[in-house]
Amino acid sequence: MISSTVKDLPDYRSMVQDACLRVDTFPKMMEHLPALDSDAIEISLTMVEESDIYIGIFAHKYGYIPEGHDISITEMEYNRAVKRNIPILIFIMSDEVPVKPKDFEKGEAAEKLETLKAKLKKSKVVAFFESPKHLKGLVIHSVAEVKKKLKAGKAEQKDQGAAWAKSLHYNAEIPTPPEAFIAHPYTLLQLRGLIGRKQELELLTDWVTQPRYEAITIFNIVAIGGMGKSALTWTWFNHIAPQEKEWTGRVWWSFYETDATFDNFITKTLTYVSGRSKDELKKLPSSEKQATLLRILDNDPYLIVLDGLERILVAYARQDAAFFNDDTALDDRTANRIAGAMGLPESGSKSFVGRHRLRKTTDTRIGHFLRKLCQVRKSKILVSTRLFPADLQNRVGQAYPGCSALFLLGLSDQDSLELWRAYGAKGSREAMLPVFQSFDKHPLLLQLLASEVAECRDAPGDFDAWEKANPEFNVFGLPLVQVQSHVLSYALRGLSTAELQTLQVIAGFRMPASMMTLKALLLEKQKEKKEKAGKETEPIFSSETALDQALTILEDKGLLGWDRGSNRYDLHPIVRGVVWNNLDAEKQYEIHGSLRSHFEAMPTIDDYTQVESIEDLRPAIELYNSLIEMKLYDEACKVFYDRLDNAIMYRLSANTIRVALLERLFVDGIEELPTLSSKEGQAWTIGALAHGYQFSGLPGKAISL
């Protein structure tokens, strides 16, 4: 329970909220309550009754005194916490903090406040804060210590193991429409929100409101990584779409999440729109669920966003997709073009018929469903993707009826300057536009460069001064992929050793990393199991406060995204790729070794018949991938055989995942033998992959094996 006066301490309360979320503690705050007619005293004291820890923040306001009472609601909350005998943490504003006259109490209320503060100082250990950030650090440290005491002797190993496994993926509650179902919150939006893209936002609004776009059901935003397609769609979905049209419901689904399979999308979205239970729907055949979902979307106006659709296309449907470079995927084999698309020059709009294999969906049933979606009348489907799905293109390269596309390019000149200045960087239009143009006004690169220039020691924000201090900086004439590395290398230079190590560890993950995981890898001593010699590594951070400070700096620079709801951390694919590829092989091996130890320690479900979903297998899948990255192929094969094979094959029939995992054992391609030391292991793996192909609808590949 966060207790304080509200109007005079908004920044402080916001920081305390973040502090609680950072240490996996849910903050109860008046700001989170809907407008209620209930008695204010009753609501406040109920919040205290439902809390495990009380946090009191006191400045120079005493708070509201209800009619007929002698003390404020704030003091009542404190008294109730004392009566309940729950842990109480008290933080008082230092007298050194400058405060506006209007935020000082006067008269009798001032006397009551001084009396309360005297009581607090006498009965409790009090910490004094000097700024919002200082208060955040104090709260993180204090709450973390209290949590340790509360959990001491109570947490069974089984419960702890379940908590570890649960932390690997985000499980959003499925609400009742019209409340939006955000299955996977977007965490990588620029710190100050979306800058610019006014024309694109207006186009999306026209798409759902103007009669001339009525026939377009699926609208695709197509762009390379870092162009801001997810930020654009997220902003429009949350802040504009609900105002422009009355929807029966809205769904945000991101295929970037490891658990965000197509089957999960169908089941959970149908649960949301139909009101039926997920367990009931799981028993239905996939074809029946798809038909029911299509029927509902055809009858009622729902808005569905499919973010990162490229992850279910052949080019990106791979276990190492998080490290996959656009330049590797976007070649002639993808022919990422479509006749008549918006945002492409006329010379680039011709169709490359027959050269689009990598843009096909991994499962033909998914492609068939997407084409069926095009025929839906009432609902609208917004897709963000790096590749335009070939299944939504006809044989002559035109968009399938009911479908359209916008190829998102760099920012406009004005948007580029606004983004540059929003991060505290300076420079005239004449001086800066040529620099921006050298990397196609790429939003992410522009943001990272602006963050670095804003922290120039000699002249903060002055690009000329920064450029003089960094004479080797030169982005002119370089291909975009090299510009990405060049700009990011400067963004990384200003980081401390601990901050850089944090970024490197997170870069080793294929998915967002939870705070529970980061604390285990960065805050606690790690015992690494190595064949040569066992050694224990010292933690990178000495306290949760120090870890928080590093994470905050990385967030402020735009290098790291934080999902407050699930307390997980992620990197933009471009950042992840550059950070990871800058590491030498030994350092990469060391990080994967830490991940291996981490996932190896997680509990497993021994009886495969008890596995309910692919999420239950996530620790084993991540362990398998860590072993592959360490080139320990025999051990990886054993993990697959012991912990994954039966569940994936017989319990879940997750054959696409089976294929993606087993193909990683064929380092030299499936035309060669798997990279294993024994004939028996090779024979079994070849047969297992053949079964995966067979049940994925690829009998030709199965037969050759």
Side-chain angles (χ1 to χ4, degrees), residues 24-137:
D24 287 310
T25 307
F26 180 76
K28 284 185 171 290
M29 304 172 69
M30 294 298 292
E31 292 94 324
H32 297 161
L33 296 177
L36 299 172
D37 294 330
S38 307
D39 181 74
I41 299 175
E42 180 185 348
I43 295 172
S44 294
L45 298 186
T46 298
M47 290 175 73
V48 180
E49 287 291 339
E50 295 173 346
S51 299
D52 301 301
I53 303 170
Y54 167 91
I55 296 175
I57 310 166
F58 299 91
H60 302 289
K61 284 284 189 181
Y62 179 60
Y64 172 64
I65 303 176
E67 188 174 345
H69 294 268
D70 296 325
I71 62 175
S72 68
I73 292 180
T74 305
E75 186 166 358
M76 292 180 196
E77 291 168 351
Y78 169 73
N79 290 341
R80 180 60 61 92
V82 172
K83 186 176 180 181
R84 284 196 59 215
N85 196 32
I86 61 175
I88 293 175
L89 303 173
I90 302 297
F91 304 92
I92 297 179
M93 182 179 282
S94 167
D95 292 336
E96 303 300 318
V97 178
V99 179
K100 297 177 181 178
K102 67 181 182 65
D103 289 330
F104 277 97
E105 207 65 87
K106 298 177 182 178
E108 184 181 356
E111 295 177 9
K112 289 180 179 290
L113 176 61
E114 289 307 312
T115 301
L116 174 58
K117 284 184 177 180
K119 180 169 68 172
L120 295 172
K121 293 174 184 176
K122 185 176 181 181
S123 60
K124 302 292 176 185
V125 176
V126 172
F128 294 88
F129 59 88
E130 299 174 356
S131 68
K133 284 189 176 181
H134 182 216
L135 175 60
K136 180 185 178 185

Side-chain angles (χ1 to χ4, degrees), residues 417 421 427-436 476:
L417 290 166
R421 290 162 184 166
S428 68
R429 171 184 288 264
E430 292 74 18
M432 298 316 307
L433 285 181
V435 177
F436 303 157
F476 295 98

Side-chain angles (χ1 to χ4, degrees), residues 251-268:
V251 176
W252 174 279
W253 186 272
S254 175
F255 287 103
Y256 291 124
E257 291 284 340
T258 52
D259 67 318
T261 61
F262 177 75
D263 288 336
N264 263 356
F265 162 71
I266 295 294
T267 301
K268 291 189 177 182

Side-chain angles (χ1 to χ4, degrees), residues 171-203:
N171 266 319
E173 293 293 327
I174 300 178
T176 302
E179 182 182 347
F181 171 35
I182 298 176
H184 316 96
Y186 177 65
T187 64
L188 299 176
L189 186 61
Q190 297 129 323
L191 184 67
R192 291 153 184 81
L194 181 71
I195 305 292
R197 295 294 190 193
K198 182 180 178 182
Q199 184 177 352
E200 289 84 355
L201 291 170
E202 289 178 351
L203 176 60

Side-chain angles (χ1 to χ4, degrees), residues 129-345:
F129 59 88
E130 299 174 356
S131 68
K133 284 189 176 181
H134 182 216
L135 175 60
K136 180 185 178 185
L138 293 172
V139 172
I140 285 175
H141 174 76
S142 301
V143 174
E145 291 301 312
V146 170
K147 281 185 67 180
K148 288 178 185 176
K149 293 177 182 178
L150 289 175
K151 287 183 176 180
K154 294 181 181 179
E156 296 289 335
Q157 187 174 3
K158 182 178 178 182
D159 295 336
Q160 186 72 6
W164 276 116
K166 185 178 179 182
S167 73
L168 294 181
H169 52 267
Y170 180 71
N171 266 319
E173 293 293 327
I174 300 178
T176 302
E179 182 182 347
F181 171 35
I182 298 176
H184 316 96
Y186 177 65
T187 64
L188 299 176
L189 186 61
Q190 297 129 323
L191 184 67
R192 291 153 184 81
L194 181 71
I195 305 292
R197 295 294 190 193
K198 182 180 178 182
Q199 184 177 352
E200 289 84 355
L201 291 170
E202 289 178 351
L203 176 60
L204 289 176
T205 300
D206 288 346
W207 166 57
V208 300
T209 59
Q210 298 300 315
R212 67 179 183 275
Y213 294 113
E214 189 174 351
I216 299 176
T217 299
I218 299 182
F219 193 80
N220 298 267
I221 305 286
V222 187
I224 62 172
M227 277 295 173
K229 55 188 176 298
S230 294
L232 170 67
T233 51
W234 176 259
T235 299
W236 182 80
F237 173 86
N238 283 288
H239 304 298
I240 300 177
Q243 311 298 325
E244 296 292 343
K245 183 172 179 176
E246 188 173 337
W247 305 96
T248 301
R250 294 178 295 130
V251 176
W252 174 279
W253 186 272
S254 175
F255 287 103
Y256 291 124
E257 291 284 340
T258 52
D259 67 318
T261 61
F262 177 75
D263 288 336
N264 263 356
F265 162 71
I266 295 294
T267 301
K268 291 189 177 182
T269 302
L270 185 54
T271 301
Y272 171 71
V273 303
S274 69
R276 298 165 69 178
S277 75
K278 190 166 63 173
D279 292 336
E280 175 191 353
L281 293 174
K282 279 183 177 179
K283 299 174 184 177
L284 298 179
S286 178
S287 58
E288 184 176 339
K289 286 188 287 187
Q290 291 183 27
T292 305
L293 178 58
L294 288 168
R295 186 167 59 252
I296 294 174
L297 297 180
D298 188 51
N299 291 331
D300 298 300
Y302 285 89
L303 175 62
I304 312 290
V305 174
L306 302 178
D307 184 41
L309 189 75
E310 75 272 2
R311 287 296 180 90
I312 60 172
L313 305 182
V314 172
Y316 285 91
R318 38 194 294 161
Q319 290 294 303
D320 60 347
F323 307 95
F324 203 39
N325 192 308
D326 279 343
D327 288 336
T328 307
L330 304 183
D331 57 19
D332 278 351
R333 291 175 300 163
T334 63
N336 194 23
R337 299 177 182 180
I338 177 172
M342 292 176 277
L344 279 180

